[in-house]
Amino acid sequence: MARFPVEPFKIKVVEPIRQTTLAQREEILQQAGYNLFAVRAEDIYIDLLTDSGTSAMSDSQWAGMMAGDESYAGCRNFFNLEEAVRSITGFRYFVPTHQGRAAENVLFTCTIEPGQSVPSNMHFDTTQANVIARGGDPVNLLAEEGLDPTSHAPFKGDVDIERLEAFIQQVGPESVPLGMLTVTNNSGGGQPVSMANIRATGEVLHRYGIPFFLDACRYAENAYFIKLREPGYADTPVLEIAREMFSYADGCTMSAKKDALVNIGGFLAMNDEELYQRACQQLILREGFPTYGGLAGRDLEALARGLWEGVDERYLAYRVAHTRYLADRMVEESIPILEPPGGHAVYLDARRFLPHIPQAELPGQALTCALFLEGGIRGVEIGSVMFAREDVETGEMIYPELELVRLAIPRRVYTQAHLDYVAETCQRLYECREEIGGLRYTYAPDLLRHFTARFEPL
Ligand SMILES: Cc1ncc(COP(=O)(O)O)c(C=O)c1O
C-alpha cells in the first residue's frame, strides 16, 4: 500500500464542496455538450481539470496581497518580483504578464515570421496555438520513450537531440527563430527533462545561432526530478539545479499559475537587451506598462513570494509524493496510467482503458465524461480533441500518439481522502469500462478546440 506524504503545512481556510446525484450529473453533462469546461465549478466534486491557477496560497502570499502597491509605474512589488526572477532564473531582463500564454504571444510576436518553425520536445496547447497564430509551425521532437506510456525511463520529457539537429539542417537555421523545451512536459504526461538533455539542446541550438527558450511553468518540479533521478544531483539544492537549467537557455516563458503557486500571473524573461526592448513595446500594447504587465501590484507580490515557496524542497518532496500516491493507488488496481507519474498530474491512458473506442470516436473525451458521471470528478482530455490535426494535403485527420486523460492535482488543495476517492471512482469505472461509448462533435472550432467544442454520445 502506498504511503501518504505528510503535508508540510496546515489548513487555515476551507471551501465547501458538494456532491451531486447521478441524475443531476447526467443533466449537467448534457447541458454542457459533454465538455467539462462548460460545467459550473460548483457542480464538480473533485476538480482535477488543471493545476494552473488552482493552488492554495500561503498566509505569507495573502499577507503580500495586502502589501500591494497599485502605482501605475515602478511599484515596489515589481522590484520584489524582479529580485526573485533574477535570482532564480539568472536572466537579465523580464516583463510580467497576466499569464503564460501572454508571455508566449509577446515572445512569438517579436520572433516568428510566417513559414518559420519552432521545434520543442512537445509544445503545450497554448504554445502550439500561439506559434500557429503567427503563421509558424510548432514541431514536436520528443524522444521515442516519451511516447510509450509503459516505459519507466526517468526522463521521458527529453527531446530527441539527433532529430533536433537533423531538423535544423533540413529546414535551415534561418527558418528556426527559436527552439524550446517544455519542463516538465505537460502534454506528454508531466514528464521531466534531464539536465543533460537541456544542456545538449542549448548546445545544438546555439551551434546554429538559434535562441533557446524554456517553457518553464513547472521548472521547480522538473528540478526536483533531476535531484531524485539524475546521477550527480542528489546533494545539490533544488535552487542550484534550477539555476543550472536556466543557465543553458536564453530566456523563458513562465505561467506562474503552476510552480509559483499563484492564481494568476506569468512572465517572459530573456538575456537579449534588444529583444527585451521589443518585448516591452508589445507588452505595452497588449498587457500593460512593463512594471505591472497586466497584473495588480498585489498579484506581483503574491507571485514574488510564491516563486520562493515553489522551490522549497520540503514542499517539492510533498508535492511529488502526493501525486505519486494517487498514481500508486491506480497501479495497485491495474488501472492503465502513464508511468512513471509526473509531478503535477496522473494521466489515465485512455487507449488502454477503453481499447474498444477508436481515436475517431474520442476515447479520452468519453473517459472524462464517464469520470464525471461516476463521481463528479473533472479531468481534462489530452488527446485527439486537443491535438488531432487535419493533414493539409490529404484532408485526413492525424491523431496524436498519446490519448490521455489528465487528472491534474491543484497544489496544497486536496487531502489523502480526496485522492482515495478519486482512485476508488476510477477503479469502479474500470470495472465497467465496456459500457462506456464514444462521442462525436456537434461543434468544433478551428483553434484550441477542446475549450469550447461540444459533443454528443454515439
Ligand atoms: C506547459 C504549459 N505551457 C504554457 C501554458 C499556458 O499558461 P497559462 O494557462 O498561464 O496561459 C500551460 C498552461 O497550462 C502549460 O501547462
Side-chain angles (χ1 to χ4, degrees), residues 50-53 97-104 122-127 130 180-187 215-218 253-258 264-266 344 347 406 451:
T50 177
D51 63 320
S52 178
T97 58
H98 79 275
Q99 60 183 82
R101 72 199 66 186
E104 292 163 4
M122 209 171 204
H123 292 281
F124 192 59
D125 59 353
T126 58
T127 325
N130 268 305
M180 297 188 80
L181 278 182
T182 311
V183 296
T184 57
N185 177 22
N186 188 9
S187 313
D215 176 342
C217 309
R218 300 180 182 83
T253 56
M254 174 78 186
S255 169
K257 297 168 74 176
K258 285 82 170 176
I264 194 73
H344 72 293
Y347 292 65
R406 186 188 70 182
F451 287 116

Side-chain angles (χ1 to χ4, degrees), residues 119-122 157-159 161 164 179-184 193-194 197-199 201-202 205 212-216 253:
S120 175
N121 52 350
M122 209 171 204
D158 282 1
V159 70
I161 295 290
L164 175 65
M180 297 188 80
L181 278 182
T182 311
V183 296
T184 57
V193 182
S194 65
N197 196 254
I198 298 173
R199 193 183 307 121
T201 302
L205 291 171
F212 171 29
F213 275 70
L214 289 175
D215 176 342
T253 56

Side-chain angles (χ1 to χ4, degrees), residues 348-369:
L348 299 173
D349 183 355
R351 271 194 173 167
R352 282 185 294 143
F353 203 114
L354 301 174
H356 57 287
I357 304 182
Q359 273 184 298
E361 296 177 11
L362 313 173
Q365 188 65 20
L367 188 51
T368 61
C369 292

